[in-house]
Amino acid sequence: MNKTSFGKGLQDGISIGLGYFAVSFTFGIMAIQSGLTAWQAVLISLTNLTSAGQFAGIGIIAAGGSLWEMALTQLVINLRYCLMSFSLSQKLEKGVSNGHRLAVAFGVTDEIFGVSASQEGRISPWYNYGVMCVAIPGWTLGTLAGAVSGSLLPDFLVSALSVAIYGMFLAVIIPPAKKNRAVLGVVIGAMAVSTLFAVVPVLNKVSTGFVIIITTLLVAGLAAHFCPVEEKETEEKEAAN
């Protein structure tokens, strides 16, 4: 069972790893431009795996910011991963130890959470390990490649690589949205709320990290209220799997 789950995770993680390689390539370039060495950039990617947090972090490093500024910025930007980890812990199969839960939480990203949450029924932590075994090396090796050779590429190509993650995320959310109207509603609702925060004069002053958290709580809360998953339906899916 663990071997099957791990293999499925590896398969589902390929597209994520490829997308991460392209995006972290840009991070590697920016890290070198900010005064970091290639190995410092690689270490950051290997131990953090947080795209927005890492890009914000090297900006603070380049500006000579304090550790308190760094800590607060990372807390705000990455707090959404706590919400994702809480949600994902409820989807893991019963009897999973705290050690496995902590290991799964370490590898939670927007995309890894997306593919994990879209699986039918409960999932094994080995599924996440499979995804992580492709995604983390993709992110880390992309950083290394960008740090070593990014300066050789033209600016337009570097800019194109930076938007690859959006195409990858669309590939994660579109299939489940086509199968489930509730998921489609959540996607549309999240887009609508995010747009409000981007265009409304007062709301557009809210930081990106808090926008993600507020949008997640609001849209997910409404979805849970209006489109609850019946306990009986969940048990039937688990039994079928």
Side-chain angles (χ1 to χ4, degrees):
M1 179 64 181
N2 290 341
K3 185 177 180 180
T4 302
S5 298
F6 185 79
K8 180 65 164 56
L10 286 175
Q11 181 181 355
D12 292 348
I14 292 176
S15 60
I16 296 177
L18 292 175
Y20 279 179
F21 185 93
V23 177
S24 62
F25 195 99
T26 307
F27 172 76
I29 296 173
M30 294 182 63
I32 297 301
Q33 293 175 344
S34 299
L36 298 178
T37 67
W39 292 110
Q40 286 173 332
V42 168
L43 181 62
I44 290 174
S45 286
L46 183 62
T47 56
N48 284 267
L49 201 66
T50 59
S51 57
Q54 289 182 214
F55 281 105
I58 59 173
I60 295 174
I61 292 174
S66 66
L67 293 177
W68 286 109
E69 289 177 288
M70 177 68 79
L72 182 59
T73 300
Q74 296 304 312
L75 176 64
V76 172
I77 293 177
N78 296 320
L79 191 59
R80 69 186 187 277
Y81 293 129
C82 290
L83 302 177
M84 294 179 188
S85 297
F86 287 145
S87 175
L88 197 55
S89 69
Q90 303 302 309
K91 191 173 179 60
L92 291 174
E93 59 189 12
K94 296 180 180 179
V96 174
S97 67
N98 289 334
H100 280 301
R101 293 178 185 275
L102 291 174
V104 168
F106 168 77
V108 168
T109 65
D110 299 331
E111 294 75 26
I112 292 178
F113 173 78
V115 296
S116 300
S118 65
Q119 300 300 305
E120 292 290 340
R122 294 185 180 271
I123 60 174
S124 165
W126 289 95
Y127 172 82
N128 283 77
Y129 298 156
V131 179
M132 291 161 59
C133 280
V134 183
I136 294 178
W139 183 259
T140 305
L141 292 175
T143 299
L144 177 61
V148 172
S149 62
S151 59
L152 304 176
L153 297 177
D155 292 339
F156 78 89
L157 183 56
V158 173
S159 178
L161 289 172
S162 66
V163 301
I165 194 169
Y166 299 109
M168 176 194 60
F169 197 70
L170 287 175
V172 171
I173 63 174
I174 288 177
K178 292 171 65 176
K179 296 178 181 179
N180 191 313
R181 289 187 177 181
V183 175
L184 178 61
V186 168
V187 172
I188 295 175
M191 292 171 61
V193 175
S194 297
T195 301
L196 288 177
F197 275 100
V199 300
V200 176
V202 177
L203 296 180
N204 61 13
K205 302 299 182 182
V206 180
S207 68
T208 302
F210 278 119
V211 169
I212 294 174
I213 293 170
I214 293 171
T215 301
T216 300
L217 290 175
L218 178 61
V219 177
L222 289 174
H225 177 73
F226 291 105
C227 304
V229 177
E230 299 295 337
E231 188 67 25
K232 182 177 180 181
E233 178 184 349
T234 302
E235 292 176 357
E236 290 177 352
K237 289 182 177 180
E238 292 176 8
N241 292 331

